[in-house]
Coordinates of all heavy atoms in Angstrom, one line a residue:
E231 N 87.4 106.4 112.5 CA 87.6 104.9 112.3 C 88.2 104.7 110.9 O 87.6 105.2 109.9 CB 86.2 104.3 112.4 CG 85.6 104.3 113.8 CD 84.5 103.3 113.9 OE1 84.0 102.8 112.9 OE2 84.0 103.1 115.1
R232 N 89.3 103.9 110.9 CA 90.0 103.7 109.6 C 90.7 102.3 109.6 O 90.9 101.8 110.7 CB 91.1 104.8 109.4 CG 90.6 106.2 109.4 CD 91.8 107.2 109.6 NE 91.3 108.5 109.5 CZ 91.8 109.4 108.6 NH1 92.7 109.1 107.8 NH2 91.3 110.7 108.6
I233 N 91.0 101.8 108.4 CA 91.8 100.7 108.3 C 93.1 101.2 107.7 O 93.1 102.1 106.9 CB 91.2 99.5 107.5 CG1 91.0 99.9 106.1 CG2 89.9 99.1 108.2 CD1 92.0 99.3 105.1
T234 N 94.2 100.4 107.9 CA 95.5 100.9 107.3 C 96.4 99.7 107.2 O 96.4 98.8 108.0 CB 96.1 102.0 108.2 OG1 97.3 102.4 107.5 CG2 96.5 101.5 109.6
F235 N 97.2 99.7 106.1 CA 98.4 98.7 106.0 C 99.3 99.1 107.2 O 99.5 100.2 107.6 CB 99.1 98.9 104.7 CG 98.4 98.3 103.5 CD1 97.2 97.7 103.6 CD2 99.0 98.4 102.3 CE1 96.6 97.1 102.5 CE2 98.4 97.8 101.1 CZ 97.2 97.2 101.2
T236 N 100.0 98.1 107.6 CA 101.0 98.3 108.7 C 102.4 98.5 108.0 O 102.5 98.3 106.8 CB 101.1 97.0 109.6 OG1 101.4 95.9 108.8 CG2 99.8 96.8 110.3
L237 N 103.3 99.0 108.8 CA 104.6 99.4 108.3 C 105.3 98.2 107.6 O 106.0 98.3 106.6 CB 105.5 100.0 109.4 CG 105.2 101.5 109.7 CD1 106.0 101.9 110.9 CD2 105.7 102.3 108.5
P238 N 105.3 96.9 108.2 CA 105.9 95.8 107.5 C 105.4 95.6 106.1 O 106.2 95.2 105.2 CB 105.6 94.6 108.4 CG 105.4 95.2 109.7 CD 104.8 96.6 109.5
V239 N 104.1 95.8 105.8 CA 103.6 95.7 104.5 C 104.1 96.8 103.6 O 104.5 96.5 102.4 CB 102.0 95.6 104.5 CG1 101.5 95.7 103.1 CG2 101.5 94.4 105.2
I240 N 104.0 98.0 104.1 CA 104.5 99.1 103.3 C 106.0 98.9 102.9 O 106.4 99.1 101.7 CB 104.3 100.4 104.0 CG1 102.8 100.8 104.1 CG2 105.0 101.6 103.3 CD1 102.5 102.0 105.0
N241 N 106.8 98.5 103.9 CA 108.2 98.3 103.6 C 108.6 97.1 102.9 O 109.8 96.9 102.6 CB 109.0 98.4 105.0 CG 109.0 99.9 105.5 OD1 109.0 100.8 104.8 ND2 109.0 100.0 106.8
S242 N 107.6 96.2 102.6 CA 107.9 95.1 101.8 C 107.7 95.3 100.3 O 107.9 94.4 99.5 CB 107.0 93.9 102.3 OG 107.4 93.5 103.6
A243 N 107.1 96.4 99.9 CA 106.8 96.7 98.5 C 108.0 96.8 97.6 O 109.1 97.1 98.1 CB 106.0 98.0 98.4
S244 N 107.9 96.5 96.4 CA 109.0 96.6 95.4 C 109.3 98.0 95.2 O 110.5 98.4 95.0 CB 108.6 95.9 94.1 OG 108.4 94.6 94.2
N245 N 108.3 98.9 95.2 CA 108.5 100.3 95.0 C 107.5 101.1 95.9 O 106.3 100.7 96.0 CB 108.2 100.7 93.5 CG 109.1 100.0 92.6 OD1 110.2 100.5 92.3 ND2 108.7 98.9 92.0
V246 N 108.0 102.1 96.6 CA 107.2 103.0 97.3 C 107.5 104.4 96.9 O 108.6 104.8 96.8 CB 107.5 102.9 98.9 CG1 106.6 103.8 99.7 CG2 107.3 101.4 99.3
A247 N 106.4 105.2 96.7 CA 106.6 106.6 96.3 C 105.8 107.4 97.4 O 104.7 107.1 97.7 CB 106.1 106.9 94.9
V248 N 106.5 108.5 97.9 CA 105.8 109.4 98.8 C 105.7 110.7 98.1 O 106.7 111.3 97.6 CB 106.7 109.6 100.1 CG1 105.9 110.5 101.1 CG2 107.0 108.2 100.7
V249 N 104.5 111.2 97.9 CA 104.2 112.3 97.0 C 103.7 113.4 98.0 O 102.6 113.3 98.6 CB 103.1 112.0 96.0 CG1 102.9 113.2 95.0 CG2 103.5 110.8 95.2
V250 N 104.4 114.6 98.0 CA 104.1 115.6 99.0 C 104.1 117.0 98.2 O 105.1 117.3 97.5 CB 105.1 115.6 100.1 CG1 104.7 116.6 101.2 CG2 105.3 114.2 100.7
T251 N 103.1 117.8 98.4 CA 103.0 119.1 97.8 C 102.5 120.1 98.8 O 101.8 119.8 99.8 CB 102.1 119.1 96.6 OG1 100.8 118.8 97.0 CG2 102.6 118.1 95.5
G252 N 102.9 121.3 98.7 CA 102.4 122.4 99.5 C 103.3 122.8 100.6 O 104.0 122.0 101.2
S253 N 103.3 124.1 101.0 CA 104.2 124.6 102.0 C 103.8 124.1 103.4 O 104.6 124.1 104.3 CB 104.1 126.2 102.0 OG 102.8 126.6 102.2
S254 N 102.5 123.7 103.6 CA 102.1 123.2 104.9 C 102.8 121.9 105.3 O 102.8 121.6 106.4 CB 100.6 123.0 104.9 OG 100.2 121.9 104.0
K255 N 103.4 121.2 104.3 CA 104.1 120.0 104.6 C 105.6 120.2 104.7 O 106.3 119.3 105.0 CB 103.9 119.0 103.5 CG 102.4 118.9 102.9 CD 101.5 118.2 103.9 CE 100.1 118.1 103.3 NZ 100.0 117.2 102.1
A256 N 106.1 121.4 104.5 CA 107.5 121.7 104.4 C 108.2 121.4 105.7 O 109.4 120.9 105.7 CB 107.8 123.2 104.0
D257 N 107.6 121.7 106.8 CA 108.3 121.4 108.1 C 108.5 119.9 108.3 O 109.5 119.4 108.7 CB 107.5 122.0 109.3 CG 107.7 123.5 109.4 OD1 108.8 124.0 109.1 OD2 106.7 124.2 109.8
A258 N 107.4 119.1 108.0 CA 107.5 117.7 108.1 C 108.6 117.1 107.1 O 109.3 116.2 107.5 CB 106.2 117.0 107.9
V259 N 108.6 117.6 105.9 CA 109.6 117.2 104.9 C 111.0 117.4 105.5 O 111.9 116.6 105.4 CB 109.4 117.9 103.6 CG1 110.6 117.6 102.7 CG2 108.1 117.4 102.9
H260 N 111.2 118.6 106.0 CA 112.5 119.0 106.6 C 112.8 118.0 107.7 O 114.0 117.5 107.8 CB 112.4 120.4 107.1 CG 113.4 120.8 108.1 ND1 114.8 120.7 107.9 CD2 113.3 121.2 109.4 CE1 115.4 121.1 109.0 NE2 114.5 121.4 109.9
T261 N 111.9 117.7 108.6 CA 112.2 116.9 109.8 C 112.6 115.5 109.3 O 113.5 114.9 109.8 CB 110.9 116.8 110.7 OG1 110.6 118.1 111.2 CG2 111.2 115.8 111.8
V262 N 111.8 114.9 108.3 CA 112.1 113.6 107.9 C 113.4 113.5 107.0 O 114.2 112.7 107.3 CB 110.9 113.0 107.0 CG1 111.2 111.7 106.4 CG2 109.7 112.9 107.9
L263 N 113.5 114.3 106.0 CA 114.6 114.2 105.1 C 115.9 114.9 105.6 O 117.0 114.5 105.1 CB 114.2 114.7 103.7 CG 113.1 113.9 103.0 CD1 112.8 114.5 101.7 CD2 113.5 112.5 102.9

Side-chain angles (χ1 to χ4, degrees):
E231 295 192 349
R232 300 163 177 240
I233 68 100
T234 183
F235 284 1
T236 57
L237 280 168
V239 171
I240 292 173
N241 287 330
S242 294
S244 294
N245 299 277
V246 180
V248 185
V249 184
V250 190
T251 61
S253 58
S254 67
K255 318 284 182 66
D257 284 328
V259 168
H260 160 61
T261 298
V262 172
L263 295 182

